[in-house]
């Protein structure tokens, strides 16, 4: 059994392979400037970027790593 830190979530979604590839491509292209333009402050932008990077790593380990 894997223990999760308090306040953690596990996300599960259903998506087509094409949607997943497109999302992986989006995460690859999004940069800090994009997150800053959508965030209320730098802390929120860094938080957005951190979770996006974790998602990118999961997608890459599942075979969705755009070049």
């Amino acid at each position: 059994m894997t223990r999760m830190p308090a306040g953690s979530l596990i996300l599960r979604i259903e998506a087509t392979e094409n949607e997943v590839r497109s999302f992986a491509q989006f995460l690859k292209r999004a940069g800090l400037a994009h997150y800053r333009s959508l965030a209320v402050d730098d802390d929120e932008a860094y938080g957005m970027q951190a979770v996006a990077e974790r998602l990118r790593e999961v997608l890459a380990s599942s075979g969705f790593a755009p070049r």
Side-chain angles (χ1 to χ4, degrees), residues 21-58:
R21 286 189 194 288
S22 295
F23 187 58
Q25 195 66 257
F26 165 78
L27 291 173
K28 173 189 161 195
R29 293 177 181 163
L32 183 57
H34 295 104
Y35 299 116
R36 279 187 170 153
S37 72
L38 299 169
V40 296
D41 58 27
D42 281 352
D43 286 340
E44 187 177 65
Y46 287 124
M48 291 174 173
Q49 186 179 39
V51 75
E53 181 57 28
R54 287 198 300 277
L55 286 169
R56 214 169 65 74
E57 290 170 1
V58 169

